[in-house]
Amino acid sequence: MGPLGLATVLLGASLPLIDFFIVNVALPSIDRELGAGPAMLELVVAGYGVAYAVLLVLGGRLGDMFGRRRLFVVGMAAFGLTSLACGLAPHAGTLVAARVAQGAAAALMLPQVLATVHATTTGRRRGRALSLYGATGGLSMVAGQILGGALVSADIAGTGWRSVFLVNVPVVLTGLALASRTVPETRSERPAPVDGSGTALLALSLVALLMPLTEGRAAGWPLWTWVSLAAFPFTAGAFWAVERRADRQGRTPLVPPSMFALAGLRRGLGMMLPFAFGFGGFMFVMAVALQQGRRLSPVDAGMALAPMAVTFFAASLMGPRLVGRYGSRIVTAGGLVQAAGLALLVTAALRDWDGLGFWQLLPGVALAGFGQGLQLPVLFRIVLADVPGEQAGVGSGVMVTTQQSSLALGVATLGSLFLALIGPLGMRDALAATLIAQVGAVALTMVMSLRLPRTVA
């Protein structure tokens, strides 16, 4: 795959992550125009995130079966159509339905990106491509906040909040025009049939966990949320039992348990949980603190986080050279840098809350972004290093599902902690306490990083 092909699949990779965060700044406008209410607004966010997380592994398996470029194109086209449906939604219920469909389209498209990279590159070219993928992911999460604020504030042609969805349409058309000419077709030489029971149980498990955590606070924690959370360990246990039985019988399950015998994949996925958990929670908490606490505009709040995107990108580009010299210890170093950045943010908030803005936040967000950029691309490489080429779609789907589910968990749990602390502590101290909790997640990643394979393929 050439440079233009890589740029095309990275364009596709950016869209789902941007849309996970871009809608946050548009929610007040959606509420005013559509009369959505808190619970329906949560569904606008949760419907997309849950559908996306639930179907990612299946999307990877379908790419292995029918061709990764084909599924990439189908997923991107569906993403454009569902984005148009979101932008034209006449009422809140229609918007929620369109967001669920948009999440499903993203789940078809995104796993094909890493699977295509894994199947068409080797050695240093693969390391550089994965570093660029990691940089794209970090940039997309921050850019979603900035772009959303800019579009809502600009109110292009009177579209208001609708522009955050409609902007996807020309981007998708560009991607589709490029994909057929620049992205090579790859697929598994021995594609396995879809694991129906495994797919259903994985979907049920993720819905049982993510829906109550993302919807529960706005809905007032009704009985169904507690029943759903109580059911999660049983559905997850049933899923694992079904997959192990299929693996022992020589069939190909949706998530082969034998794949977890690969030390890099097992330990890398374990680290992805606290890393993405903290990242997702951080982006949500900072957006709320800056816009509702400091009364910054969406554009100013987004720009305050822009240095994070710059340093994340710089660290991602430095990653291949540093990994070649220091191996996986660069992940441990990245954790130290990220923790230092978070400590500076806590200090800035406590010292000068009334004046907290771009310059006060700059050292902390820059260091935090640099530390994250040293970690995430390397984790991608470690997880996928030993995955066989014919299982590239499955491996990519498992990794992205772990990342997406952890992002959603971070928003739900750290976000709920932050909002619960505002009442007794006030916005400033609630932010400081939540950032300190995130430092705990960073410390966990550092401890776990010591068990990673020292040499990164």
Side-chain angles (χ1 to χ4, degrees):
M1 181 168 57
L4 190 55
L6 178 61
T8 301
V9 295
L10 292 179
L11 175 67
S14 70
L15 289 173
L17 288 170
I18 286 175
D19 268 59
F20 185 80
F21 290 97
I22 198 173
V23 74
N24 288 339
V25 295
L27 292 177
S29 300
I30 294 172
D31 189 21
R32 285 193 298 271
E33 183 173 332
L34 302 182
M40 192 64 77
L41 288 175
E42 289 284 348
L43 279 176
V44 171
V45 178
Y48 175 85
V50 172
Y52 181 28
V54 161
L55 296 173
L56 276 165
V57 180
L58 178 61
R61 170 63 60 83
L62 292 175
D64 287 348
M65 292 175 63
F66 298 113
R68 292 155 189 148
R69 183 181 67 187
R70 178 181 298 177
L71 265 291
F72 179 79
V73 168
V74 169
M76 180 173 276
F79 192 86
L81 289 172
T82 53
S83 296
L84 181 62
C86 289
L88 300 178
H91 47 74
T94 307
L95 177 58
V96 170
R99 282 284 284 173
V100 171
Q102 189 187 35
L108 282 181
M109 175 173 58
L110 187 62
Q112 318 316 326
V113 175
L114 278 173
T116 299
V117 168
H118 190 67
T120 59
T121 60
T122 57
R124 295 182 64 182
R125 287 185 63 233
R126 179 182 292 174
R128 183 165 180 80
L130 290 175
S131 294
L132 289 171
Y133 178 88
T136 300
L139 285 171
S140 298
M141 288 184 258
V142 180
Q145 307 269 120
I146 301 171
L147 182 61
L151 289 172
V152 172
S153 299
D155 192 22
I156 302 168
T159 54
W161 61 267
R162 298 177 186 275
S163 61
V164 305
F165 300 113
L166 296 176
V167 72
N168 290 331
V169 177
V171 177
V172 163
L173 292 175
T174 302
L176 290 174
L178 291 170
S180 60
R181 295 194 296 269
T182 64
V183 179
E185 181 63 282
T186 63
R187 69 184 71 202
S188 174
E189 295 180 1
R190 296 185 296 277
V194 171
D195 174 12
S197 57
T199 301
L201 284 169
L202 177 62
L204 186 60
S205 299
L206 290 174
V207 168
L209 177 64
L210 295 178
M211 276 305 293
L213 288 177
T214 53
E215 183 68 9
R217 179 178 56 85
W221 297 105
L223 178 61
W224 72 264
T225 60
W226 300 109
V227 172
S228 183
L229 287 172
F232 168 70
F234 298 99
T235 57
F239 166 72
W240 192 248
V242 166
E243 299 298 272
R244 287 186 63 187
R245 184 170 66 248
D247 217 4
R248 286 197 299 267
Q249 292 174 350
R251 295 182 284 120
T252 305
L254 183 71
V255 180
S258 56
M259 186 180 288
F260 288 85
L262 303 173
L265 181 138
R266 184 177 65 253
R267 294 171 184 171
L269 286 180
M271 275 196 66
M272 189 72 71
L273 285 165
F275 179 89
F277 175 92
F279 202 136
F282 175 86
M283 295 302 296
F284 173 81
V285 167
M286 289 299 294
V288 174
L290 294 178
Q291 292 180 65
Q292 296 184 13
R294 285 289 300 113
R295 302 295 179 187
L296 299 183
S297 71
V299 175
D300 289 339
M303 289 306 298
L305 297 176
M308 173 176 283
V310 175
T311 56
F312 189 107
F313 186 71
S316 298
L317 295 183
M318 294 168 60
R321 181 167 52 84
L322 293 174
V323 167
R325 187 169 184 178
Y326 300 108
S328 64
R329 292 298 174 262
I330 200 68
V331 179
T332 311
L336 283 170
V337 175
Q338 186 185 357
L342 292 172
L344 287 177
L345 289 174
V346 172
T347 302
L350 294 176
R351 178 186 298 166
D352 188 18
W353 174 252
D354 291 335
L356 194 67
F358 178 88
W359 294 109
Q360 290 75 20
L361 293 170
L362 175 61
V365 296
L367 269 183
F370 193 83
Q372 291 165 341
L374 291 176
Q375 293 175 296
L376 187 61
V378 182
L379 288 180
F380 288 151
R381 288 179 63 177
I382 290 170
V383 169
L384 294 177
D386 298 324
V387 175
E390 63 270 16
Q391 291 186 315
V394 177
S396 301
V398 170
M399 186 178 71
V400 179
T401 298
T402 303
Q403 180 190 24
Q404 178 61 33
S405 300
S406 301
L407 284 171
L409 282 172
V411 172
T413 52
L414 285 179
S416 295
L417 172 66
F418 172 64
L419 295 171
L421 291 176
I422 290 174
L425 300 181
M427 186 73 75
R428 183 196 71 171
D429 291 347
L431 174 62
T434 308
L435 291 177
I436 290 171
Q438 188 189 345
V439 173
V442 174
L444 179 59
T445 67
M446 291 168 57
V447 172
M448 296 175 72
S449 71
L450 299 176
R451 299 187 68 246
L452 292 174
R454 184 65 183 266
T455 303
V456 180

